Amino acid sequence: MDFQELIIKKRDGHQHSKDEIEFLVKNISDGSMPDYQVAAWAMAVFFQGMSDEETRDLTLAMAYSGDVVDLSGIAGIKVDKHSTGGVGDKTTLVVTPIVAAAGIPVAKMSGRGLGHTGGTIDKFESIPGFQVHLSHQAFLDQVNQVGAAVIAQSGNLVPADKRLYSLRDLTGTVDSIPLIASSVMSKKLAAGADAILLDVKVGRGAFMKTAAQAQILADTMVEIGRGVGRKVIALLSDMDQPLGRMVGNALEVREAIDTLQGKGPEDLSELCQTLAAHMIMLGGKAATLDEALEITRQLIVSGQALARFKKMITVQGGTLDYQADNYGMEIARIRYLLRSERSGQIIDLDALEIGRSAMLLGAGREKIGDVIDHAVGIELCRKRGDVVEKDDILAIIHGNDHERVQSILPQLLQAYKIQ
Ligand code: URA
């Protein structure tokens, strides 16, 4: 087999055999296939797509391209969750302690943010002292002891995806359904959970811009997971405007803590409760969604969910001061009030523009390896549907650099459509 032959085969719309896919994945993982040929093959897949069989074979070959996590040292049904990425998505911070407080172990590996989308690990790292790297044994011990741990993906988990994803990111080949499905599901399968909840985002801030595309992605991922004996549920959720009001790492942790206390914004609270309830059902602690939602609400109202969050943070080395401003996390030096230039109703708030603005402010990475500033971000005081007068505050920009703050003003104003 040779790489060029396989690229041409896919370019011309033919189907790869399982052996061909395994050959490609092996050579992508060990670096034998050069960047330009991996990128050309990804572009061929982008245009020609893959059959269900090819997508499944690609997922499994990637899942076993490196270490596979063994969670058998944790008792009970291990439930994982994955979001396909968005702006202001801090749901893992809220949902993990709720589900753990319901008696379901959550042993979770999360990623860092790239481009306009944020990453859970970056958010946790806003918390002073919080350790995102634990040995396998420490990870298992913590889940057995506290019911939950969230750590960064280990060095050799799905190396094929690491290389393929970074090349896709540079070559305009991210938003391909078979490539996203195999990327997400290979990581979920390698991470070892028995049951998986997928939160598939739809809208401008998401990879899938329409509900129809998102549904195909969801069905593809569910099919792959169920085919290998995992329980999988997929939900579609809105990412046309950002989730919640905070975009930026420490700001999002603050909002997550508020939400755990029942004081979060409505859209975020509702989505977190829905996700948690589905995980509670997957974990076998409720027979119906209504029952699971009731358990979720009780855990929030009684303070048990927040208590579990505090415990998890402390055990992982983090220090928060729940009485202090911003709960003791770093605060940006500049607060710029973005005011409306007209009166009217906000008919649109573009998640992609907000995500890009937050990234330019320093909250995200343009490329892998960029250093981020945990304190900066955008606080959305007004969102879609709100009515504003001229000069009302639309958003507060939390920045550490005047030039960067000034540079994002035009695109932030454009993100708000008022009429
Ligand atoms: N998230 C992933 O993990 N992979 C993709 O390809 C897209 C989103």
Side-chain angles (χ1 to χ4, degrees):
M1 259 181 267
D2 96 28
F3 303 139
Q4 189 182 351
E5 189 190 310
L6 295 178
I7 295 166
I8 291 170
K9 186 169 182 182
K10 187 40 74 185
R11 182 200 68 188
D12 293 345
H14 301 294
Q15 190 166 332
H16 286 310
S17 68
K18 186 166 181 259
D19 285 350
E20 287 169 353
I21 288 186
E22 285 175 354
F23 173 79
L24 284 163
V25 169
K26 178 187 166 298
N27 286 283
I28 293 171
S29 300
D30 69 15
S32 311
M33 188 168 174
D35 283 359
Y36 54 89
Q37 286 184 310
V38 177
W41 176 77
M43 190 58 87
V45 173
F46 180 90
F47 282 114
Q48 295 293 355
M50 278 187 153
S51 66
D52 290 348
E53 210 178 341
E54 285 176 295
T55 309
R56 186 203 59 214
D57 291 343
L58 178 62
T59 308
L60 293 181
M62 295 215 301
Y64 292 100
S65 65
D67 297 343
V68 173
V69 181
D70 177 5
L71 297 180
S72 59
I74 301 168
I77 303 173
K78 277 76 68 181
V79 184
D80 197 355
K81 111 173 221 302
H82 186 88
S83 148
T84 56
V87 180
D89 183 354
K90 65 281 289 174
T91 52
T92 294
L93 284 86
V94 182
V95 167
T96 301
I98 299 175
V99 175
I104 297 160
V106 186
K108 186 153 178 46
M109 290 189 170
S110 287
R112 296 186 186 279
L114 188 62
H116 71 278
T117 64
T120 298
I121 287 300
D122 298 324
K123 294 170 205 197
F124 274 113
E125 281 186 335
S126 312
I127 302 171
F130 190 87
Q131 295 304 316
V132 298
H133 300 288
L134 298 183
S135 70
H136 182 62
Q137 194 54 50
F139 179 51
L140 299 188
D141 289 348
Q142 181 178 322
V143 179
N144 280 325
Q145 189 195 339
V146 184
V150 180
I151 60 169
Q153 195 178 303
S154 82
N156 199 35
L157 200 83
V158 197
D161 180 63
K162 227 171 255 168
R163 176 138 187 261
L164 185 55
Y165 192 85
S166 60
L167 289 168
R168 284 167 59 208
D169 190 49
L170 297 169
T171 55
T173 49
V174 170
D175 37 4
S176 144
I177 289 176
L179 294 180
I180 297 178
S182 53
S183 166
V184 169
M185 289 307 290
S186 60
K187 285 177 289 204
K188 293 294 109 182
L189 298 182
D194 306 302
I196 302 158
L197 175 65
L198 299 165
D199 177 13
V200 180
K201 302 290 185 191
V202 195
R204 274 164 311 181
F207 293 119
M208 297 293 107
K209 308 295 178 203
T210 66
Q213 282 178 320
Q215 192 59 56
I216 296 173
L217 175 62
D219 292 345
T220 306
M221 294 193 291
V222 168
E223 193 61 34
I224 293 169
R226 289 185 184 164
V228 291
R230 311 280 171 104
K231 280 205 241 175
V232 189
I233 295 179
L235 304 177
L236 267 49
S237 71
D238 177 41
M239 193 36 76
D240 220 30
Q241 69 170 348
L243 183 61
R245 296 194 173 273
M246 302 294 194
V247 181
N249 300 289
L251 293 172
E252 292 190 40
V253 174
R254 184 170 111 196
E255 189 168 60
I257 297 171
D258 293 344
T259 305
L260 278 167
Q261 297 178 86
K263 298 186 295 193
E266 207 178 310
D267 60 344
L268 177 65
S269 300
E270 197 183 312
L271 179 60
C272 288
Q273 290 182 22
T274 305
L275 294 172
H278 278 91
M279 288 175 77
I280 289 169
M281 284 212 301
L282 281 170
K285 298 283 181 188
T288 64
L289 186 59
D290 281 346
E291 191 189 329
L293 279 167
E294 188 48 36
I295 294 172
T296 301
R297 283 192 280 265
Q298 276 308 317
L299 291 168
I300 294 172
V301 172
S302 65
Q304 291 176 77
L306 179 67
R308 194 60 66 113
F309 174 85
K310 289 181 176 177
K311 199 163 172 192
M312 182 181 128
I313 298 303
T314 306
V315 171
Q316 260 178 270
T319 312
L320 287 171
D321 177 349
Y322 295 89
Q323 310 309 321
D325 200 12
N326 219 33
Y327 299 118
M329 289 173 290
E330 222 183 305
I331 296 174
R333 288 187 300 276
I334 304 163
R335 282 186 187 206
Y336 183 96
L337 307 183
L338 182 82
R339 293 183 184 275
S340 179
E341 291 180 330
R342 53 187 298 184
S343 302
Q345 184 171 36
I346 301 169
I347 53 160
D348 205 2
L349 175 57
D350 187 336
L352 184 58
E353 287 299 335
I354 299 292
R356 282 199 183 128
S357 302
M359 180 191 76
L360 294 172
L361 203 57
R365 297 180 183 81
E366 247 167 305
K367 52 182 193 313
I368 292 171
D370 283 353
V371 174
I372 60 172
D373 183 341
H374 291 106
V376 304
I378 300 164
E379 182 174 347
L380 303 163
C381 304
R382 301 297 176 94
K383 290 185 68 180
R384 197 173 53 207
D386 287 345
V387 173
V388 292
E389 299 296 327
K390 186 172 180 301
D391 290 331
D392 275 358
I393 299 168
L394 294 175
I396 303 172
I397 305 171
H398 298 250
N400 273 328
D401 178 320
H402 284 286
E403 245 173 68
R404 283 190 186 215
V405 170
Q406 289 298 322
S407 73
I408 64 167
L409 297 181
Q411 77 194 63
L412 264 186
L413 275 173
Q414 247 182 27
Y416 278 95
K417 299 262 175 313
I418 299 171
Q419 79 175 23

